[in-house]
Amino acid sequence: MATWSKKATCHSLVIIDELGRGTSTYEGCGLAWAIAEYLAKEVKAFCLFATHFHELATLADDVPSVVNKHVSALIVNNTLTLLYRVRPGMCDQSYGIYVAKMAKFPASVIQMAQEKQSELEHYKNFDFDGTAEERKKII
């Protein structure tokens, strides 16, 4: 068992960044969910939990002590600007492709990523374009 799970108390500050990275999507999400819920319900530790699993936002619906926050960003003229401000609620948009553009990936890679994203969203009947209506699909 991990040291934090043996030693964390309601007086602890637990910081978790991208738990589940390197796992399959569902395995990683399952691990992240179980650990977040355990920390909130059983340990009752104050926890900062950074994740790309948007599904975890729904944990706040079941556990009153869970509060969603996100770091804001602005897109103007198809350019992403990270604002480094913490805001209430879940992130309403994914910025991975914008970050890939900022990292100067070839246009062909960006195009393929957008096509694959569209295919996967269609396959899962899910669209994460950042609109309020679309967010309701995952909450």
Side-chain angles (χ1 to χ4, degrees):
M1 191 174 273
T3 301
W4 66 264
S5 64
K6 292 180 184 176
K7 306 231 178 185
T9 71
C10 62
H11 302 291
S12 298
L13 168 62
V14 179
I15 300 173
I16 299 175
D17 184 27
E18 294 298 343
L19 179 72
R21 184 172 175 256
T23 63
S24 73
T25 300
Y26 299 121
E27 179 185 40
C29 188
L31 281 168
W33 186 290
I35 290 169
E37 187 170 321
Y38 174 79
L39 286 168
K41 287 183 170 180
E42 303 299 323
V43 178
K44 295 180 175 46
F46 186 84
C47 182
L48 298 174
F49 199 105
T51 183
H52 62 280
F53 297 120
H54 300 281
E55 298 85 354
L56 261 64
T58 62
L59 187 58
D61 297 339
D62 298 327
V63 182
S65 62
V66 172
V67 177
N68 291 312
K69 304 275 184 181
H70 69 278
V71 178
S72 59
L74 181 66
I75 299 173
V76 176
N77 297 326
N78 208 29
T79 300
L80 174 69
T81 302
L82 301 173
L83 299 177
Y84 303 102
R85 292 188 182 119
V86 177
R87 300 283 187 219
M90 67 174 280
C91 186
D92 65 354
Q93 193 167 349
S94 180
Y95 301 108
I97 291 177
Y98 287 100
V99 172
K101 288 178 187 177
M102 291 169 65
K104 307 284 188 219
F105 275 82
S108 61
V109 171
I110 301 299
Q111 179 65 35
M112 182 184 289
Q114 290 169 323
E115 290 169 7
K116 289 296 178 185
Q117 176 187 10
S118 180
E119 287 174 22
L120 291 167
E121 288 172 344
H122 179 71
Y123 173 73
K124 290 291 186 181
N125 195 23
F126 174 78
D127 186 10
F128 200 78
D129 71 354
T131 64
E133 271 309 303
E134 296 303 319
R135 281 195 308 271
K136 290 178 185 174
K137 291 180 181 177
I138 63 171
I139 293 179

